[in-house]
Amino acid sequence: MPMITVRYVTPTPRPELREKIAALAARLGAEQLGKDPGVTAVLVEPADPAGWFIAGKHPTDANLAAFWLDIKITGGTNTKAETAAFVRAAYDGMGALLGPLHDECYVFVHATDGDAYGYGGRTQNARWAAAHPG
């Protein structure tokens, strides 16, 4: 795990970005947060620029891109420094892919209780307990 969702807008449509954004998000999850890329899921969704507002204006009208990256991880598995490094790397990496960014681009790291989510029908805490008997 984790589950990563990325929504973004660019001044001009660029369908080739989806795979690049997915690869970036998974790579940063592994490099910055130590998450296993073999169980990382990423959903990348381009958004309609007419529906993206910051301070009542479309960032694309100023020839700027914008994004929202949301990652869900198990609480207690990362330090504040690791999380901060992930946020910085995500912003920088998305800027490299999308071009000039509006300042109001957000990276949200959900550190969720291990009993509150999982995959394959098992919670994260159940997985941990199975891997660490006794």
Side-chain angles (χ1 to χ4, degrees):
M1 109 177 250
M3 177 66 207
I4 305 170
T5 304
V6 183
R7 305 251 0 224
Y8 69 96
V9 292
T10 54
T12 57
R14 295 173 52 204
E16 79 282 358
L17 286 174
R18 288 179 116 168
E19 268 189 54
K20 293 176 183 180
I21 291 170
L24 172 71
R27 180 176 58 79
L28 293 178
E31 290 176 359
Q32 302 297 326
L33 300 174
K35 304 308 175 194
D36 179 358
V39 292
T40 296
V42 183
L43 173 63
V44 178
E45 300 176 312
D48 178 359
W52 198 293
F53 297 88
I54 300 172
K57 298 177 181 175
H58 305 293
T60 54
D61 288 348
N63 209 32
L64 296 173
F67 75 92
W68 161 265
L69 186 152
D70 184 348
I71 181 172
K72 290 162 182 75
I73 62 172
T74 305
T77 58
N78 292 99
T79 66
K80 286 183 181 183
E82 290 167 335
T83 301
F86 176 82
V87 170
R88 170 49 49 195
Y91 186 84
D92 291 346
M94 289 296 287
L97 288 177
L98 302 180
L101 295 173
H102 195 287
D103 283 341
E104 275 62 64
C105 292
Y106 295 95
V107 178
F108 190 24
V109 180
H110 290 255
T112 304
D113 184 281
D115 288 324
Y117 95 121
Y119 65 95
R122 293 173 43 202
T123 68
Q124 288 305 92
N125 282 352
R127 287 180 182 287
W128 185 91
H132 301 88

